[in-house]
Amino acid sequence: MYRVKVTDNFSSAHNLREYEGNCERLHGHNWQIEVSLKGKELDELGMLVDFRELKKEVKNILSDLDHTYLNNHEYFCKVNPTSENIAHFIYTKLKTRFKDRVDKVVVWESDNSAAEYYE
């Protein structure tokens, strides 16, 4: 089994609805995102996926979230913008492009706190 990973980041503000504590108030993060794809087969060049393609797709997804108030985003109007739900959102978007090769998405909201989503 092969696995490739890329990282990227974005900045945004959010607040957690129905949360009792500081995170219920408006605040922001510089999110660090780690995406990994997996597969058993390499292409004719010996690659699972071209890093350039994966980075471009991740950048496109994150550009929709960067420097926004996540609670106003179409998806997060209905879903609380937790790190877990952000990971799920990114994973789902990546699946439309990379199908069953998407392994997991890790979302770091700080240097020592992260959530990941995988199936």
Side-chain angles (χ1 to χ4, degrees):
M1 185 66 75
Y2 298 94
R3 181 175 285 132
V4 296
K5 295 181 182 182
V6 299
T7 62
D8 205 335
N9 58 70
F10 72 98
S11 300
S12 68
H14 72 152
N15 63 287
L16 302 182
R17 294 180 289 273
E18 308 298 323
Y19 183 84
E20 293 184 20
N22 289 342
C23 293
E24 186 174 27
R25 294 188 297 222
L26 178 64
H27 63 285
H29 296 282
N30 294 314
W31 309 89
Q32 182 72 23
I33 309 301
E34 179 183 297
V35 169
S36 63
L37 302 185
K38 65 180 179 182
K40 293 180 181 177
E41 306 276 327
L42 301 179
D43 67 13
E44 62 280 350
L45 296 175
M47 290 189 256
L48 179 64
V49 64
D50 186 335
F51 281 119
R52 184 176 47 183
E53 288 179 43
L54 180 54
K55 288 176 184 179
K56 181 180 178 184
E57 191 65 30
V58 170
K59 185 73 71 188
N60 285 340
I61 294 167
L62 298 185
S63 69
D64 190 36
L65 305 176
D66 191 36
H67 284 81
T68 66
Y69 174 48
L70 293 177
N71 296 61
N72 286 343
H73 186 277
E74 180 182 2
Y75 181 80
F76 296 110
C77 281
K78 302 170 187 133
V79 175
N80 219 7
T82 62
S83 296
E84 295 88 342
N85 285 329
I86 293 168
H88 180 262
F89 172 79
I90 296 168
Y91 185 99
T92 302
K93 292 284 188 180
L94 285 169
K95 263 193 105 137
T96 62
R97 171 75 169 80
F98 296 105
K99 314 240 183 286
D100 60 346
R101 292 185 291 170
V102 182
D103 181 31
K104 69 179 176 179
V105 173
V106 182
V107 174
W108 292 86
E109 69 175 42
S110 70
D111 291 340
N112 54 10
S113 299
E116 62 183 56
Y117 182 82
Y118 60 94
E119 294 179 349

